[in-house]
Amino acid sequence: MKCSKLVALTLSSVLILGGCGTTVERVDADTAVDLSGAWNDTDSQLTARTMVEDALSRPWFKKHMQATGKAPTVIVGKIKNLSHEHINTQTFIADIERELINSGDVEFVADATARKEIREERGDQDLNATEETRSEMGKEIGADYMMQGKINTIIDVDGTDQVRFYQVDLELISMKDNRKVWIGQQKIKKLVENSKMRK
Amino acid sequence: MGRRSFLPSFISYRFFLLFALLILSGCSVTHKKVNLLSQSLNTNSPEAVLTQIQTLKPEERDRPLFNLNIGTLQFLSQDYPAAITSLTLAKDEMAILFATSFSENIGAATVNETMRSYSGTPSDLVMVHNILALSYLFNDDPDAACVEILQADIMMKKLIKKDSNSGQLASAHVISAIIYELLDEQDNAFISYKFAAELMQARGAPLTDDIKLSLTRLSKELGVLDQFDQYKTEFAISDEQINELTAANNSNLYFIHFDSVVTSKKEVSIMVPSYHDNRNDQLVRIAMPSYPNVARSIGSADIDVGEQDIRTTEIESVDVLAREDLDAEYPAILLATTARAVIKYDAVKNAEKKDPLAGFLMNVATVLSESADVRSWNMLPASIQYAYVSTNEENVSIRARKLAKRKIELTAGSKHVILTSSISDKLFHYQQDKSIY
């Protein structure tokens, strides 16, 4: 009789589970939601905020202000993904750019791709826009510093459990003389315990 | 007749029969079609087979396998973005299915093994990173390819067992080594070649000359002189050979060749009448998956380098991996099949006691529903081969079974990854962008 119950249970399970559908719930963009333990938007935002705050509180900033009397101009270069995950570094770069601009402490200039497009537009203005509204060539502000970096991971795995260690290294390099004026490091450690059973 | 009904009243035996026939007949037909398509790859192009397989409608539980097969064909058709999408989906689905399912286990214990979702064999779980890494690489994204080889490494660590090489792929280590060499990470490349060599030796496969030369040249480049001396003696490699290989302006070619198509599983079944009380009681059917013995000749690809004709040699037999995976799983399959036969037998007996016709119908349903799980990632090559070339020639010519002779121009000091497949007329080529590294 036990076997018969198993057959009935199977049929019921198949029918019930067949009816399971997708549900979507909107959550606040600032809410931390960890599903897989992989690098996510929360890691990106928190790391960008912490590291930019750290960068702007270090001596290079004061020294630059004292030496030039104006806020430093910064550009964000390449952030290399050397981790075990496919990380969209563009969103991380965008988070760093936002934090830098919103700090109000530094001037910020567009990256190489954006500059190219703007120069094309300026060239077009040269031909087609009126003199009063035209933006002239050769008036760009050059960056004083470039921020570059890399994301590394170390993953320790045992069966269904993992310890994921992320290390983000950023550095600010003087465009004038290649001096490294700031090096920042942010570490994130996650313990991911995957279920051994599913429905 | 006095026994309680074992099924809810709204589900009759006829309903169960209909359910079993409808659900299960469709599944096995799809699996058999995919297996036939896989074998047709020896004569049809991957593009033609891709078009055919895309017309099939897989069950949700077969979706990961479907994506693996589709992704492989998309890769062989050089549609790399599509291959990356399909294989990533399969990888993610298999990661979710890594956990054991309660409901699917009940389904497998009472109906048949195909009631489980296809969660991939240990070799599949690593091989998906191999094909993804190559897809990213030929899509000019070596950084993303590197992510895949790192994930392959994690997966192999996850699957490691004390007394088995299950889920440990020499090809994954060789592909890792190639990608590390492209990224100018010679130390990591050296370690990967060492792992590959250890695995090949553990499987009793001969260590190829290309792996021997790679180990020796990298130990020299890295200045690991004790190991360099050891390799030179062990592999009988002369100083002249090494000096030629490591000349500063040489071009380096890492050549991968996929040969033939991996064997598909077949069902082996027996049906016997059970005798009880000296009468033919009911029919009992047992079905198990197996790999047929296929006599095949494995070919290779050729590279003409100046006066030399270099051939690719096998670093991994995917056929052997597939059989190893099935062998490892066999005791569990046998146990589940036996237990299921007992459960089905009991179910028929109970139905028969209630109503002879119901018993007969239930017996038909149990016999028809019994089928072996013959699902496998069968668009993969049967053999993965490798050759390493270091040359100061200005060009090399490549030949494979369906590929007419193709010339590749080399600039001094350049690094190239080349892939051919015996079932495709395409040449896969990636040249390192020195401005990045």
Side-chain angles (χ1 to χ4, degrees), chain B residues 22-203:
Chain B
L22 281 176
I23 300 286
L24 302 167
S25 57
C27 300
S28 63
V29 168
T30 309
H31 302 155
K32 280 170 191 161
K33 269 186 190 167
V34 173
N35 290 357
L36 283 174
L37 283 174
S38 146
Q39 295 315 306
S40 77
L41 272 171
N42 282 315
T43 46
N44 296 336
S45 70
E47 293 82 355
V49 175
L50 176 63
T51 309
Q52 286 178 282
I53 199 171
Q54 279 173 327
T55 60
L56 301 178
K57 300 265 180 290
E59 291 291 324
E60 205 49 46
R61 57 182 177 270
D62 297 338
R63 182 66 59 183
L65 178 60
F66 191 69
N67 283 327
L68 287 173
N69 280 326
I70 292 252
T72 313
L73 293 170
Q74 286 164 332
F75 169 73
L76 292 170
S77 309
Q78 295 189 333
D79 185 355
Y80 306 123
I84 289 165
T85 305
S86 303
L87 294 169
T88 304
L89 262 174
K91 182 177 75 173
D92 294 345
E93 286 163 340
M94 289 193 294
I96 294 166
L97 296 169
F98 199 75
T100 311
S101 165
F102 179 68
S103 59
E104 285 176 7
N105 269 341
I106 295 175
T110 51
V111 184
N112 68 39
E113 286 291 322
T114 64
M115 295 302 282
R116 290 184 221 272
S117 291
Y118 187 85
S119 57
T121 64
S123 301
D124 293 351
L125 295 172
V126 180
M127 189 65 81
V128 70
H129 296 292
N130 271 1
I131 309 291
L132 266 169
L134 292 170
S135 302
Y136 278 117
L137 188 67
F138 292 118
N139 201 36
D140 284 328
D141 192 349
D143 289 338
C146 186
V147 170
E148 288 302 328
I149 60 157
L150 290 171
Q151 289 184 359
D153 183 53
I154 293 289
M155 183 51 79
M156 285 192 279
K157 281 180 185 159
K158 197 169 170 176
L159 295 169
I160 208 157
K161 282 179 187 160
K162 265 186 189 165
D163 49 358
S164 151
N165 288 316
S166 176
Q168 307 302 308
L169 271 60
S171 57
H173 289 299
V174 172
I175 291 170
S176 299
I178 295 169
I179 291 168
Y180 284 132
E181 290 215 54
L182 292 175
L183 300 173
D184 289 338
E185 293 182 30
Q186 269 69 15
D187 48 349
N188 282 327
F190 181 52
I191 293 165
S192 292
Y193 281 124
K194 275 171 106 172
F195 282 143
E198 281 169 17
L199 266 175
M200 289 169 80
Q201 285 170 327
R203 284 209 163 89

Side-chain angles (χ1 to χ4, degrees), chain A residues 60 64 70-77 100 106-112 115 119 139-147 172-178:
Chain A
W60 72 273
H64 179 91
K70 60 183 178 72
T73 307
V74 178
I75 187 169
V76 180
L100 281 169
V106 294
E107 296 289 337
F108 198 82
V109 288
D111 66 18
R115 282 201 303 271
R119 279 172 196 155
K139 297 263 172 101
E140 291 178 17
I141 297 172
D144 300 310
Y145 302 95
M146 180 181 266
M147 190 176 270
L172 205 57
I173 301 166
S174 164
M175 300 289 287
K176 194 167 64 182
D177 50 17
N178 291 343

